[in-house]
Amino acid sequence: MKVIGWRDRLFRKLSTISPITPEEFTDTEKLKHDRRRYEADVAIEAALGIVAVVARGWCYRYRLLEDGRRTVFNFWLPGDLINLTPMAPGLVSHTAAVREAELVHIVDADFIAMCDASPALGAAFAANERLDNLLLANQVLRLGRLSAMERVAHLFLELWDRLSLVGLADGEQFPLPFTYGTLADALGLSNVHVSRTLGQLRDRGLIETKRRTVLLKAPQQLADLTEYDPIGTCIGPND
Amino acid sequence: MKVIGWRDRLFRKLSTISPITPEEFTDTEKLKHDRRRYEADVAIEAALGIVAVVARGWCYRYRLLEDGRRTVFNFWLPGDLINLTPMAPGLVSHTAAVREAELVHIVDADFIAMCDASPALGAAFAANERLDNLLLANQVLRLGRLSAMERVAHLFLELWDRLSLVGLADGEQFPLPFTYGTLADALGLSNVHVSRTLGQLRDRGLIETKRRTVLLKAPQQLADLTEYDPIGTCIGPND
DNA sequence: CGGTCTGTTGAAATTGATCAATACCGGTGG
DNA sequence: CCACCGGTATTGATCAATTTCAACAGACCG
C-alpha cells in the first residue's frame, strides 16, 4: 500500500501555485521534524519559532467571543502550512483539530535557512502565503456579500478545489469531517439554516451528502452561481 | 510648517508592532521611490515587482461581482504597505483610492535587499504582514458573527486605532473620507442600514458624526460592546 | 439498548434589505 | 449672492432572509 506523506501533499500544492521541480523540492527531505497528534477541538498551543505542516486530518482557525459566539476563519487541510508562533500574549485566534489531526513541527529557523538557500523554494512558500491571503479574502467575500446558498456553494467549491490539489478528493466527492455547527460558524449562519440550505441544494440536485461526505453533482452550476475562481487560475505560475 | 512624510508614518507603525530603532529605520532613506497620484475609485493598475506605501489619502481593496455587488476587503491608510504585484491575469481583487490618494512606488527587489541586509527591518516588515493578516481576520469576525451595530463599532475602533498609530487621529476624532455606500460594502450591510445604525449609535451618545469625520464619545463602551483588541496589545513587540 | 450528540422540521420573532420619497450638502454658474 | 443640480443621507413602509426556540428523529457509541 502506497502511503502519501505530508511532503507529497505539500509538493502537489506548491507546484500548482509556483513553478518548482521535484528536484528543487528534495531539500525539504533534510528538514528535522517532529510529528504530533492533536485531539478534536482542543486549542493547539502556540509554539515560538515553530511552523507546522498538516500531515493528517483537518484543523481550523477560530475565535471565541465572550458570549459563546464562535467564528471560524478558515480550515487547514493536509499539506497546509501553519505558523504556530503566537501573535501576542492574549491571542486573538486559535487553531484546533477537526475531530483529530497530526501536525509535523519544523523549526522556523531551519525552514527559513532552507528558503534562503533555494530561490525556488522561497518563491513557492511566498506564493503559498499569497494563497492563504486569497483564501481569507474569499472568506470575506462569502460573509460580506453572498447569500446563504451562495456561501455554501462557494465554500464547497473551495474545499473541493483544495482537496483535489493534494489528492484528497475522489472525483466530485470529498470528505467534510466536521459538524454543521462548525460549518455554520465558518459561514456566518446558524446551524439550523445550514441544514435548511443544504436541503435546498440537495433538492435542486446540485449536491448529495452522505455520512460526512459531499458529492458535487453539478460543479459548473455551482461555480456559475458563486463566481468561484479556481486556485490554479487565480494564483498559478505565470506563463 | 512640519510635513509628516510617508517614512514617518511607516516608522510609527512599524515601531509599535516590532522593536525597531530610528537608526535601523534610516536604511529606508536610500530606497529609490516614485510618487504617483491616483483618482478616486479607479482601479490602480497592478505592477509586477512593485510594492507601494500609501503617502496620502486612503485606498481600499475590493472585488466586484457580476451583478454589481461589491465587497470591500479592507482599507489602506497612510503608512500602509501594498503589494502591487498581480496575483494572476484574471485578478480577483483590485485596489483603488478613496476620493484621491498618493502612493510611493518602490522596486520589490530593492525592498527585499534592504530587508535581507537589516534583520531589524526584515522582522518589522514580517510583523507588518502578520498585522495585515490580523486585520483581514478582524474583517471576517465582523462579517461573520457581529451584529450591524457591533460591526460599525468594531470597524470604527480599528480605524481609529490605526489612524492614531500614524498620527492621523485628533484625540477621539478621526476622518472617514468615504461615502456610506463604501462603508456598507465594507460592513456587509446596505447603505440604508448603515445610516440607521449610525443613527442609533448617535442616539445612544456613543459617537458623533459631522462632515466626514467621526468622534468616538465613549471609546471604552464601544470596545466593551465588541471585544475589539487594540493593535498594540495583540501584535506588539514581545516584552 | 440506552444515552448523547447531531441533524431536521415547524412556527414565531428578528434583523436587515428593498423600494420610494424627501431632505441635505457642496459645488457651479448666472 | 442666489438658484440650481447631482450626489449623498435620511426616513417610512413593506418585504425577505435568517435566527431562535422547541420538538422530534437519527446516528453513533459504548
Side-chain angles (χ1 to χ4, degrees):
Chain A
M1 173 184 143
K2 184 171 188 301
V3 175
I4 302 183
W6 62 273
R7 287 184 57 255
D8 299 287
R9 312 262 187 229
L10 184 56
F11 177 70
R12 293 185 63 149
K13 182 180 164 196
L14 292 183
S15 62
T16 72
I17 61 176
S18 186
I20 185 172
T21 64
E23 294 73 45
E24 290 163 332
F25 190 71
T26 50
D27 287 358
T28 59
E29 263 179 7
K30 299 170 211 143
L31 283 173
K32 280 199 189 64
H33 58 271
D34 175 15
R35 194 176 178 113
R36 302 200 194 180
R37 191 169 167 286
Y38 293 92
E39 298 300 323
D41 301 314
V42 178
I44 294 171
E45 71 278 15
L48 195 69
I50 297 288
V51 296
V53 177
V54 180
R56 190 175 53 76
W58 295 24
C59 295
Y60 60 98
R61 178 182 172 199
Y62 67 99
R63 169 162 178 181
L64 294 174
L65 296 181
E66 284 170 13
D67 61 7
R69 282 178 288 185
R70 181 178 66 161
T71 274
V72 170
F73 296 112
N74 56 6
F75 296 104
W76 300 125
L77 314 180
D80 281 340
L81 194 74
I82 307 176
N83 192 340
L84 293 183
T85 297
M87 299 271 284
L91 293 182
V92 291
S93 75
H94 300 265
T95 298
V98 174
R99 306 186 79 73
E100 184 223 16
E102 284 180 20
L103 300 187
V104 169
H105 283 220
I106 298 167
V107 174
D108 199 25
D110 295 350
F111 182 78
I112 291 172
M114 182 186 72
C115 289
D116 286 347
S118 161
L121 276 172
F125 285 111
N128 188 55
E129 285 199 14
R130 291 212 308 277
L131 175 57
D132 286 346
N133 184 281
L134 178 92
L135 294 176
L136 253 193
N138 269 352
Q139 177 74 340
V140 172
L141 171 68
R142 279 191 290 268
L143 298 173
R145 281 294 181 236
L146 299 192
S147 70
M149 210 164 57
E150 291 169 327
R151 287 182 206 182
V152 172
H154 195 277
L155 180 60
F156 278 7
L157 286 168
E158 184 185 290
L159 290 173
W160 177 52
D161 199 2
R162 292 171 65 193
L163 289 167
S164 299
L165 226 59
V166 294
L168 286 169
D170 172 16
E172 279 77 38
Q173 185 164 314
F174 62 91
L176 203 70
F178 44 68
T179 175
Y180 283 14
T182 301
L183 188 52
D185 287 335
L187 292 169
L189 301 169
S190 66
N191 50 2
V192 174
H193 202 59
V194 165
S195 170
R196 281 193 233 273
T197 306
L198 288 175
Q200 286 177 33
L201 286 168
R202 272 190 300 261
D203 292 346
R204 297 199 188 184
L206 296 174
I207 66 169
E208 272 179 24
T209 58
K210 45 184 167 185
R211 303 211 303 101
R212 298 264 151 93
T213 67
V214 177
L215 171 63
L216 305 181
K217 297 181 73 179
Q220 191 52 55
Q221 280 185 57
L222 290 168
D224 293 346
L225 191 62
T226 61
E227 296 181 40
Y228 175 76
D229 301 301
I231 290 168
T233 70
C234 67
I235 204 177
N238 299 343
D239 318 310
Chain B
M1 170 185 145
K2 184 173 187 304
V3 174
I4 302 183
W6 61 273
R7 287 185 58 256
D8 299 287
R9 311 261 187 228
L10 184 55
F11 177 70
R12 293 184 62 152
K13 183 180 162 196
L14 293 182
S15 62
T16 71
I17 60 175
S18 186
I20 185 173
T21 63
E23 295 74 44
E24 291 163 330
F25 190 72
T26 50
D27 287 357
T28 59
E29 261 178 8
K30 299 168 211 144
L31 282 173
K32 281 198 189 66
H33 58 270
D34 174 15
R35 195 177 178 112
R36 302 199 193 179
R37 192 170 165 286
Y38 293 91
E39 298 300 324
D41 300 314
V42 178
I44 294 171
E45 71 279 15
L48 194 69
I50 296 290
V51 295
V53 177
V54 180
R56 190 174 53 76
W58 295 24
C59 296
Y60 60 98
R61 178 181 171 198
Y62 68 99
R63 168 161 178 183
L64 295 174
L65 295 181
E66 285 172 11
D67 60 7
R69 283 178 288 184
R70 182 177 66 162
T71 282
V72 170
F73 296 112
N74 57 5
F75 296 105
W76 300 124
L77 313 180
D80 282 338
L81 193 73
I82 307 176
N83 193 342
L84 293 183
T85 297
M87 298 269 284
L91 293 181
V92 290
S93 76
H94 301 263
T95 299
V98 174
R99 305 184 82 72
E100 184 221 19
E102 284 179 20
L103 299 187
V104 169
H105 283 219
I106 297 167
V107 174
D108 200 25
D110 295 351
F111 182 77
I112 290 173
M114 181 186 73
C115 289
D116 286 346
S118 161
L121 275 173
F125 285 110
N128 188 55
E129 286 199 13
R130 289 211 308 276
L131 176 57
D132 286 347
N133 184 282
L134 178 95
L135 295 176
L136 253 192
N138 269 351
Q139 178 73 342
V140 171
L141 171 68
R142 281 191 289 269
L143 298 174
R145 281 297 181 233
L146 299 192
S147 70
M149 208 163 61
E150 291 169 327
R151 286 182 204 182
V152 172
H154 195 276
L155 180 61
F156 279 8
L157 285 169
E158 183 185 292
L159 290 173
W160 178 51
D161 199 3
R162 292 171 63 192
L163 288 167
S164 300
L165 226 57
V166 294
L168 286 170
D170 173 16
E172 278 77 38
Q173 185 164 317
F174 62 92
L176 202 72
F178 44 68
T179 173
Y180 283 14
T182 301
L183 188 52
D185 287 334
L187 293 169
L189 301 169
S190 68
N191 51 2
V192 174
H193 202 61
V194 164
S195 171
R196 282 192 232 273
T197 306
L198 288 175
Q200 287 177 31
L201 286 167
R202 273 191 298 261
D203 292 345
R204 297 199 190 183
L206 297 174
I207 67 169
E208 272 180 24
T209 59
K210 45 185 169 185
R211 301 210 303 99
R212 298 264 149 92
T213 67
V214 176
L215 171 63
L216 304 181
K217 298 182 74 179
Q220 190 52 54
Q221 280 184 58
L222 290 169
D224 292 344
L225 190 61
T226 62
E227 299 182 37
Y228 175 76
D229 302 300
I231 291 169
T233 69
C234 66
I235 204 177
N238 301 341
D239 318 309

